Structures are given as structure tokens and as C-alpha cells.
Amino acid sequence: MTDTAQLHYNGQTIDLPVVVGTQKETAVDISKLRAESGLITLDNGYGNTGSCSSAITFVNGEKGILKYRGYRIEVLATKSTFVETAYLLIFGEMPTSSQYTEFRRQLVQHEFIHEDMRHHLDGFPPNAPPMAILSAMINAVGCFEPVFMQPEDDEHFMKPAARLMSKIRTIAAASYRKSLGKPIVYPRSRLRYVENFLHMMFSSPYEPYEAPEAVVEALDRLLILHADHEQNCSTSTVRMVASSQANLYASVAAGVCALWGPLHGGANVAVIDMLQGLVDSGEKLDRFIARVKNRDAGARLMGFGHRVYKNFDPRATIIKESCHRLLEKIGVDDPLLDLAMKLEEVALKDPYFVERKLYPNVDYYSGIIMRALGIPTDMFTVIFAIGRLPGWIAHWREVHTNTNARIDRPRQIYIGDTVREYVPLEERG
Ligand code: ACO
């Protein structure tokens, strides 16, 4: 028998079904609440609202658990590759070797962007933010390809999924080259996914860049760690746009915009700006922490805190270790890493952060890895987007294959004026 929760209101008792997920997390299903009572729920920032049921990713914020399709992130980060993890997220199963080969073949097949897309790229000013370019260009891909709307079928869905995953890295690298005023570098089919991206970023026509294995490994792992995170801001955006039955490109382009903000994917840039600001100003860490606690001019410890993780972010633990390993292997000594560790130590001992359960999140150390890879700060959030793309594709597909799906359309409590009289312009003074 299913449990119910009861709500007593206005002399009426309303029974609300309790829904239990496969990991025993529970929710009160309020879908009939308004019809039965006239009430809606109000949940600022959706901290208590389940917007959907999903079989893609599980997060337990109290225990610091993250799983994609039932596989623990620690296992995927050490044993899988980004391409394999992407396949898992999108199709729900680990690929067989022939499926993996086919997926990789399609990634290679779609790595070029249409020549007219290059003219589109030329239209952006040289200092255009790469996230703006990425979003616009992803939406534009939809104008150059037939829009695919039958996501039920694995075999056919592989093509649009591989096409988008392949092109996003070509677009990202091209936007970087353009920002430097350098010629675009064409992809090389024999290279692996991450290697090919690094080649398009850093090779020049006369000097191919060959990425050291430690660099490829570190970036591949970083992408795995970013590949999905259930109903975060950008993924919820993709799902909301998808709920109107918008196509994959339009939905993902919207997700890129949501990711851009400094409270979400843009935090990796904000962390480096914060650390560099501390180096440049010479401000003592205690004083900075005091400013954060006082909220002086909106001061915040960027890369700390998370809506869901209230113990530790498992991705941050892996990234911190990965960061140390990479810097040691490639012989980079970054003063910002030492500073980040000192700042973390000071914050984790401070009651303000302890009481509010604020810990380093995925963005705290990821910027330091990217700096070591030679990736400029304004490309950090673009790398996050490349990593998050398989998750967005998987969620878009889940929305489009849900036969019970409805358009997302939240309600509100109106707090504006009630009725106002229109006064003609000449009488308003
Ligand atoms: N520095 C200082 N104080 C903080 C921080 C922080 N980084 N994060 C939260 N707090 C404080 C809040 O001011 C609040 O204090 P109060 O209860 O006294 O008012 C309390 O901790 C609870 O925080 P909320 O703002 O309610 O947390 P919320 O879940 O809304 O926000 C968020 C989560 C946006 C991640 C927040 O912690 C933050 O701004 N962090 C810094 C930005 C960041 O690193 N974002 C990346 C997140 S991970 C990702 O998107 C991939």
C-alpha cells in the first residue's frame, strides 16, 4: 500500500500520495493539490521541489554520493572515459564494444562544422564572450542539420547525440582561436575526443600540438565529473525548454546560457578571479573571510557551498586529488593552488562555514586544473559546457520520451498592485 501524507486546511483533509524513489528518497505528490484545495505550493529557488522523476543521475547531498545511471562517480572517474560515460548517460547502459566503436565513428564523422557556420562565427566581435558564441552557434547548428524529433530509437538517436557532442568542441575551439585572431584549426580524425579538442585549441598550421597523456587524462576526467548533476539550474532549463517540445539544439543552447552565470558554471572563473584578486591585493585571508561573513559588497567565497551537498562534494574530492597529480606530472607550480588550499583550510575551521555546511564544490579546484592545461579563464565555463552536454542530451531525451510529460509551467503568488486606474500621459505630470 502506498503511504499518504495529509494536509489539513480550512476544515478539509487532503490526502497526498507519497512517492518513493529507487534510492528510498521520498516526495509528497502534490499534482492534485490545487484541484482539491485551491492551494499551490511556494518554494523559493525550488529547494524542496521535485520537478520530475528521472532515471539518469542520483545525488545524496548528505552522504556525498553521486551516481550516473547507478555507477558511482569515483568508479567512472578512474575507470571510464568521457565518451563511454556520455554513452552511458544518453543511452542508459554501458556500450558494448561495437556500440562504442560506432559512437566514436559518429563522433569523428560529425567533427567538422559547415563552412557557412564559419562565416556565422566571423560575425562575432573579437572580444565576444565564448559562452555567448557557444549558445548562438549551437542554436545555429539546428539550422544546418535536419532537426531530429524521434528520440525513442537508440540507433537513430546516436546520430544527433554524436553530432552535437562532436561539434560543440569544434565550435568551442574555433571561438577561442577567433578571440586570439588566429586561424581556425581543423579537427584530426585519428585523435581521441579530448586530444582532438586540445589539438584544435593549441595547434597552429605549422606546429601541431601534441597533448601529453597526463593532460589528456586530466581533462577527460574533468569532463566526466561535469557530465551530469540531476536537476541543476542549466539541466532544469534544458528540461523546461524541452517540455515545450523544442528541439535538441534550442534546448541545449538555453542550457548554455543558464550555465554561464557565476552562481552556476561561471563559478570556476569567479574562483580564479577571487584567488588572483587576493594575490594582487595582498589581502590577508582572515580579513577576506571576515568580509565574506559580513557580506561586504556581496563578498562570497566562490567555489564553496552547494544547494544539495551538505557534507562534501565528491567531485571536489576527486578534482583536488587530480589537480595535485597533474601539476606534479607536468611540473607546474601554481601559487593559486597553495592559496586555494590555505583558504580552504581557514574556511573549513570557521564556524560560519561549518554551521552553514559550506564545503568546496566542483568549481573550487577545476579552474586550477584548466590553468595548468593552458586553457584561458574565459574558456573555463565553455569546458564545463562540453562536459555537461551528455547530461543535457540525456535529460532532453528523457523529457521527449516521457509519454506522460506536460509542458513545465509553474504558478506564482502574485504580490503586485490589484487594480489601478489608467491616467492619460498628459495628466501624469
Ligand atoms: N560564501 C559565503 N556564504 C555563503 C556561500 C558562499 N560561497 N554559499 C552560501 N552561503 C551562505 C548564504 O549566504 C546563506 O547564509 P544565511 O543563511 O546566513 O543567509 C547560507 O550560506 C545558505 O546559502 P544559500 O544561499 O541558501 O545556498 P543556496 O543553496 O541558495 O546557494 C550556491 C548555493 C549558489 C552554490 C551558493 O552556495 C553560492 O553562491 N556559492 C558560491 C558560488 C559557487 O561556487 N557556485 C557553484 C556551485 S556548483 C555548480 O553550479 C557546478
Side-chain angles (χ1 to χ4, degrees):
M1 207 188 87
T2 38
D3 277 344
T4 52
Q6 288 189 330
L7 178 75
H8 303 282
Y9 174 69
N10 229 1
Q12 197 189 353
T13 299
I14 299 138
D15 286 329
L16 300 164
V18 171
V19 179
V20 183
T22 51
Q23 293 267 340
K24 306 276 177 277
E25 71 282 18
T26 45
V28 178
D29 179 350
I30 55 139
S31 19
K32 302 235 162 40
L33 179 64
R34 187 168 178 277
E36 291 186 7
S37 68
L39 292 170
I40 62 164
T41 56
L42 192 59
D43 184 16
N44 187 18
Y46 307 127
N48 305 281
T49 298
S51 59
C52 60
S53 305
S54 176
I56 301 169
T57 288
F58 172 73
V59 178
N60 181 323
E62 278 70 36
K63 295 190 180 149
I65 296 173
L66 168 61
K67 293 182 199 171
Y68 299 160
R69 302 280 190 188
Y71 292 88
R72 288 190 86 119
I73 192 66
E74 293 79 2
V75 174
L76 294 171
T78 46
K79 298 201 153 88
S80 185
T81 62
F82 176 61
V83 169
E84 185 184 63
T85 298
Y87 187 100
L88 169 73
L89 281 166
I90 298 167
F91 299 101
E93 298 293 337
M94 278 292 179
T96 60
S97 60
S98 63
Q99 287 165 334
Y100 190 54
T101 307
E102 177 56 17
F103 192 44
R104 290 185 61 185
R105 190 190 67 74
Q106 296 215 19
L107 285 169
V108 169
Q109 191 186 339
H110 298 291
E111 63 194 4
F112 285 93
I113 51 174
H114 195 288
E115 274 301 296
D116 287 345
M117 288 275 289
R118 290 191 47 183
H119 304 313
H120 194 60
L121 187 70
D122 288 341
F124 289 97
N127 56 353
M131 286 296 274
I133 300 181
L134 191 68
S135 172
M137 293 284 282
I138 287 174
N139 219 347
V141 174
C143 309
F144 291 88
E145 311 282 351
V147 168
F148 181 88
M149 294 298 276
Q150 290 156 308
E152 304 79 15
D153 176 352
D154 274 8
E155 197 190 324
H156 289 102
F157 193 64
M158 193 184 285
K159 193 169 173 185
R163 188 192 281 147
L164 195 47
M165 266 188 67
S166 191
K167 289 197 192 317
I168 195 174
R169 84 200 143 148
T170 312
I171 295 169
S175 70
Y176 168 63
R177 306 281 306 175
K178 181 186 159 55
S179 73
L180 299 180
K182 291 187 174 175
I184 288 172
V185 175
Y186 285 116
R188 263 206 206 141
S189 307
R190 66 171 176 80
L191 299 177
R192 290 165 292 167
Y193 187 88
V194 163
E195 258 183 315
N196 207 350
F197 171 66
L198 290 166
H199 152 71
M200 288 189 276
M201 288 278 288
F202 301 126
S203 286
S204 67
Y206 303 106
E207 208 177 343
Y209 167 82
E210 276 175 31
E213 198 49 35
V215 165
V216 177
E217 233 175 59
L219 185 54
D220 199 79
R221 181 171 293 182
L222 195 76
L223 297 182
I224 293 175
L225 295 175
H226 285 85
D228 194 40
H229 210 240
E230 48 118 305
Q231 308 310 319
N232 58 86
C233 177
S234 54
T235 303
S236 299
T237 302
V238 170
R239 290 190 75 115
M240 180 170 270
V241 177
S243 80
S244 74
Q245 305 215 330
N247 70 60
L248 180 61
Y249 306 105
S251 307
V252 166
V256 172
C257 293
L259 187 71
W260 192 355
L263 295 189
H264 190 13
N268 51 21
V269 176
V271 170
I272 297 297
D273 289 348
M274 172 186 77
L275 295 172
Q276 194 60 56
L278 286 168
V279 171
D280 295 345
S281 66
E283 183 177 10
K284 293 253 179 319
L285 296 188
D286 290 345
R287 208 180 113 76
F288 173 67
I289 292 287
R291 279 203 300 117
V292 169
K293 293 193 306 192
N294 281 337
R295 292 158 211 227
D296 289 359
R300 225 167 166 74
L301 181 49
M302 300 311 285
F304 256 66
H306 197 275
R307 171 61 60 82
V308 180
Y309 293 119
K310 300 298 174 197
N311 187 344
F312 69 96
D313 179 339
R315 301 167 302 172
T317 313
I318 301 169
I319 284 193
K320 185 175 176 182
E321 188 268 325
S322 191
C323 185
H324 281 288
R325 204 144 46 100
L326 173 72
L327 266 56
E328 202 183 301
K329 273 194 184 163
I330 61 175
V332 167
D333 185 15
D334 188 343
L336 293 198
L337 175 61
D338 301 332
L339 183 63
M341 287 194 309
K342 279 189 201 127
L343 188 56
E344 179 188 357
E345 204 184 315
V346 174
L348 291 181
K349 282 188 194 139
D350 191 301
Y352 174 96
F353 295 92
V354 175
E355 281 157 19
R356 287 170 178 75
K357 301 186 173 162
L358 302 172
Y359 298 90
N361 59 47
V362 68
D363 288 316
Y364 194 68
Y365 286 103
S366 66
I368 296 171
I369 294 193
M370 288 192 262
R371 269 162 66 91
L373 301 179
I375 292 166
T377 316
D378 64 356
M379 286 294 287
F380 287 3
T381 317
V382 172
I383 304 287
F384 191 152
I386 296 175
R388 185 53 56 88
L389 181 62
W392 290 334
I393 296 174
H395 284 272
W396 181 89
R397 190 178 191 212
E398 195 172 66
V399 171
H400 275 260
T401 49
N402 177 2
T403 45
N404 296 320
R406 301 174 76 197
I407 188 166
D408 287 356
R409 203 303 186 184
R411 292 200 174 245
Q412 64 163 18
I413 295 295
Y414 175 71
I415 54 165
D417 287 310
T418 50
V419 178
R420 305 175 89 180
E421 293 300 326
Y422 181 81
V423 180
L425 182 61
E426 53 284 8
E427 290 172 27
R428 279 180 229 154

